[in-house]
């Protein structure tokens, strides 16, 4: 039993080390705010907030109507016109996107970066509130 436990522990340690090294690898940080490219999501959101980044709520209009970050623009990532709407956005502006849980904001941020925009994934509405964004 002890050799099996050691083997399992060694495998777990190796997997953890591999994940840590992969996370530190040379990922592409284009499309992120330069001064926050290597910080945590929360720090990136707080930095973008301090810099006056525009906020985009990527939830449905119904969700947006229920609760939102004050001053946020609603552009539903699941709507057929999402790509057209983000194509109209100013490329010189930094954007923070959020949704209900963080899944749609991650997808929206990726699509927006692909469109040449500078985007910080703000995660969920709760994450945005925790970062100090007022709710409207």
């Amino acid at each position: 039993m002890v050799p099996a436990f050691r083997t399992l522990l060694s495998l777990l340690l190796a997997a953890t080390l591999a994940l840590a090294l992969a996370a530190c690898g040379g990922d592409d940080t284009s499309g992120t705010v330069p001064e926050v490219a290597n910080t945590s999501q929360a720090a990136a959101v707080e930095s973008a907030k301090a810099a006056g980044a525009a906020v985009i709520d990527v939830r449905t209009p119904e969700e947006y109507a229920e609760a939102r970050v004050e001053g946020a623009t609603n552009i539903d990532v699941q709507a057929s016109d999402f790509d057209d709407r983000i194509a109209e956005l100013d490329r010189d502006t930094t954007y923070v996107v959020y949704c209900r849980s963080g899944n749609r904001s991650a997808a929206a941020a990726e699509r927006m970066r692909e469109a040449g925009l500078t985007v910080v994934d703000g995660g969920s509405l709760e994450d945005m509130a925790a970062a100090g964004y007022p709710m409207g």
Side-chain angles (χ1 to χ4, degrees):
M1 187 84 167
V2 172
F5 179 74
R6 282 188 183 161
T7 301
L8 181 61
L9 187 59
S10 296
L11 288 173
L12 181 59
L13 181 60
T16 302
L17 181 59
L19 285 172
L21 289 173
C24 294
D27 63 334
D28 178 20
T29 57
S30 63
T32 59
V33 178
E35 61 271 9
V36 297
N38 294 317
T39 61
S40 71
Q41 179 182 6
V45 172
E46 289 177 15
S47 181
K49 179 181 184 291
V55 179
I56 298 178
D57 183 322
V58 298
R59 301 174 301 155
T60 66
E62 294 79 18
E63 290 172 299
Y64 177 81
E66 290 177 13
R68 67 188 158 277
V69 169
E70 189 175 290
T73 300
N74 182 222
I75 305 177
D76 183 355
V77 70
Q78 297 173 330
S80 61
D81 66 345
F82 180 78
D83 292 324
D84 294 334
R85 299 232 5 234
I86 64 171
E88 297 172 355
L89 296 174
D90 182 359
R91 298 218 180 314
D92 294 328
T93 299
T94 298
Y95 298 93
V96 177
V97 297
Y98 72 93
C99 64
R100 182 184 55 82
S101 66
N103 291 328
R104 287 176 284 177
S105 66
E110 181 62 28
R111 286 171 65 185
M112 291 172 75
R113 287 185 192 112
E114 289 171 359
L117 297 166
T118 302
V119 182
V120 173
D121 179 0
S124 70
L125 185 61
E126 286 182 13
D127 294 333
M128 297 292 284
Y133 282 93
M135 297 296 119

